[in-house]
Amino acid sequence: MEKVKFNFEDLKVYDKALDFVDSVYALTKKFPVDERFGLKSQFIRASTSIALNIAEGAGDSNPQFNRYLQISQDSIRECVVCLTISLRQNYISEDDNVLHRRKLSEIAKMITNLQKYLKK
């Protein structure tokens, strides 16, 4: 059977965003059960939003795609806050915090570079 692929699936930043979603799911499995509908849920939604907005904006006009990329950047900042709260509540280690912040920083830089390219 032939594999169906969409253009946005070729974007490296999209792959990185999906990798981050996977890491957030793994990280939040350690969270207390009472956070299932609180911070854990919010963190997963914010991380997922990064990839979803990249996909949603791709293939649209450059200004529209740029708008969706900006929403992805907003979701990155939301994930940073989720990491900070998680660390302060001792749900994650400092090493986990640093690792995930680095991943977010890399994705943010990739999105910024894509935004610059779209404005040319």
Side-chain angles (χ1 to χ4, degrees), residues 49-114:
S49 175
I50 299 167
L52 288 171
N53 280 292
I54 292 167
E56 192 170 352
D60 209 335
S61 67
N62 285 357
Q64 276 295 95
F65 190 16
N66 190 51
R67 186 173 73 82
Y68 282 103
L69 291 172
Q70 189 56 52
I71 296 168
S72 289
Q73 293 280 31
D74 296 341
S75 295
I76 287 170
R77 287 188 290 279
E78 190 174 351
C79 287
V80 169
V81 175
C82 289
L83 283 168
T84 302
I85 294 169
S86 300
L87 181 65
R88 291 174 67 139
Q89 295 301 310
N90 295 311
Y91 298 161
I92 64 171
S93 68
E94 180 60 37
D95 288 344
D96 284 332
N97 182 46
V98 170
L99 173 70
H100 285 80
R101 282 172 174 265
R102 284 184 180 145
K103 290 178 182 184
L104 287 169
S105 178
E106 180 182 11
I107 295 167
K109 288 174 186 173
M110 292 174 82
I111 290 172
T112 297
N113 287 333
L114 183 52

Side-chain angles (χ1 to χ4, degrees), residues 14-64:
Y14 172 76
D15 283 335
K16 291 282 185 184
L18 288 179
D19 290 344
F20 185 74
V21 171
D22 292 341
S23 70
V24 168
Y25 269 97
L27 185 67
T28 57
K29 283 183 182 179
K30 304 174 195 175
F31 283 23
V33 175
D34 61 335
E35 282 292 353
R36 180 179 43 212
F37 301 113
L39 183 61
K40 178 178 180 175
S41 175
Q42 187 64 33
F43 200 175
I44 290 170
R45 284 194 315 272
S47 67
T48 303
S49 175
I50 299 167
L52 288 171
N53 280 292
I54 292 167
E56 192 170 352
D60 209 335
S61 67
N62 285 357
Q64 276 295 95

